Amino acid sequence: MAAGKRQKKRLMAEINVVPYIDVMLVLLIIFMITAPLLTQGVKVDLPQAASQPLPPESKDPLVLVVDAAGKYYLNVGGKEDQPISAEQVVQRAAIVLKRQPDISVLVKGDKTANYGQVLSAMSLLQQAGAPSVGLLTEPLQPAKRR
């Protein structure tokens, strides 16, 4: 070899991605383990304004109405337009739920009603034996075009 000629080294333009894949798999496992822990807590069925209507083949639901003044009205017993006490709500709802354990149980609260009254109504229905309580809402109105 001549002293003036040197061999040039070729540079490698490849990147070894195996360590990056290992890091990503470890992060994936960590997120898979920690994600369920972050979502634990009190289970609440939240109402959605854009929810699906009840199926037409379902039975009429048990509905407890809470008006703006906080009075309770139950859609059973023949006197749906007369307010009833909290004890009567529990008694009547328990009777209906014993006869029809698969009936849907809903609360229809006035939008100006006290939030505490609506929660009390849900609690009364759960005391009566309702496995879950839903909330009735009005469907969303389409936005007006100008």
Side-chain angles (χ1 to χ4, degrees):
M1 265 195 233
K5 287 188 175 180
R6 288 190 181 165
Q7 286 185 343
K8 289 187 176 179
K9 284 188 176 180
R10 286 187 73 182
L11 295 176
M12 283 188 77
E14 296 178 13
I15 297 175
N16 189 1
V17 295
V18 174
Y20 298 117
I21 293 172
D22 292 341
V23 170
M24 292 303 295
L25 288 175
V26 169
L27 288 174
L28 178 67
I29 291 170
I30 290 171
F31 288 130
M32 287 173 58
I33 292 171
T34 58
L37 298 176
L38 296 175
T39 60
Q40 286 182 348
V42 178
K43 184 180 179 195
V44 178
D45 292 329
L46 296 175
Q48 297 180 358
S51 61
Q52 296 294 322
L54 291 174
E57 66 272 5
S58 68
K59 302 174 191 172
D60 288 340
L62 176 65
V63 179
L64 177 60
V65 178
V66 180
D67 69 356
K71 295 178 184 170
Y72 301 124
Y73 302 86
L74 199 60
N75 69 337
V76 293
K79 297 180 180 179
E80 290 93 0
D81 58 346
Q82 302 234 342
I84 59 174
S85 68
E87 295 82 20
Q88 291 174 322
V89 169
V90 174
Q91 291 172 353
R92 291 181 185 179
I95 292 170
V96 171
L97 288 166
K98 283 182 185 174
R99 285 190 211 146
Q100 301 172 342
D102 59 337
I103 192 169
S104 297
V105 181
L106 304 171
V107 173
K108 184 178 183 180
D110 187 279
K111 67 179 175 181
T112 60
N114 185 340
Y115 184 69
Q117 288 296 114
V118 175
L119 288 178
S120 295
M122 294 175 76
S123 177
L124 291 173
L125 292 170
Q126 287 180 337
Q127 287 175 18
S132 66
V133 178
L135 295 172
L136 282 172
T137 61
E138 291 291 328
L140 286 175
Q141 298 296 326
K144 294 180 181 178
R145 294 183 183 178
R146 293 182 183 190

